[in-house]
Amino acid sequence: EFPSASVRGDEERSPAMRDAYIEWRPCPEYQLRMGQFRPAISRQFNTDPHRLQFADRAEATRDLAFDRNQGAQAGYDLPDGWGSVNAAVFN
């Protein structure tokens, strides 16, 4: 993901790095990712507001959700695109 610019004051801009990670894929099915990225926690946290079933996000999701953290994640993509299995450790 490209860095975004945040505006401070009238014209001052500074870049803000959000995701920075290294991903290694020894073969197409397996991956190892290390760095700073957003972990997959809950459906409410990762879904756009217009796709949620209720009008507001749950209080617990808002208060306890992880944003971008530093850590490592190992994953395996299931055959025929059925999904993936991931395990992660964050600070």
Side-chain angles (χ1 to χ4, degrees):
E1 190 171 301
F2 292 107
S4 62
S6 60
V7 177
R8 292 184 194 148
D10 293 332
E11 296 295 324
E12 183 182 346
R13 292 181 176 261
S14 82
M17 182 80 64
R18 296 176 67 187
D19 291 328
Y21 56 86
I22 296 173
E23 186 170 296
W24 178 54
R25 289 185 172 261
C27 63
E29 297 87 19
Y30 296 98
Q31 70 169 353
L32 178 62
R33 179 183 289 183
M34 296 176 66
Q36 178 174 311
F37 54 95
R38 179 182 285 176
I41 297 298
S42 72
R43 181 180 180 278
Q44 285 185 335
F45 184 64
N46 293 323
T47 304
D48 292 330
H50 71 277
R51 291 187 162 201
L52 292 175
Q53 189 172 14
F54 298 105
D56 295 325
R57 296 183 190 273
E59 295 293 323
T61 300
R62 189 188 72 218
D63 295 338
L64 302 175
F66 295 114
D67 197 19
R68 287 164 173 84
N69 285 315
Q70 298 163 356
Q73 174 179 311
Y76 171 71
D77 295 331
L78 298 173
D80 297 328
W82 282 90
S84 64
V85 177
N86 295 304
V89 176
F90 292 96
N91 52 334

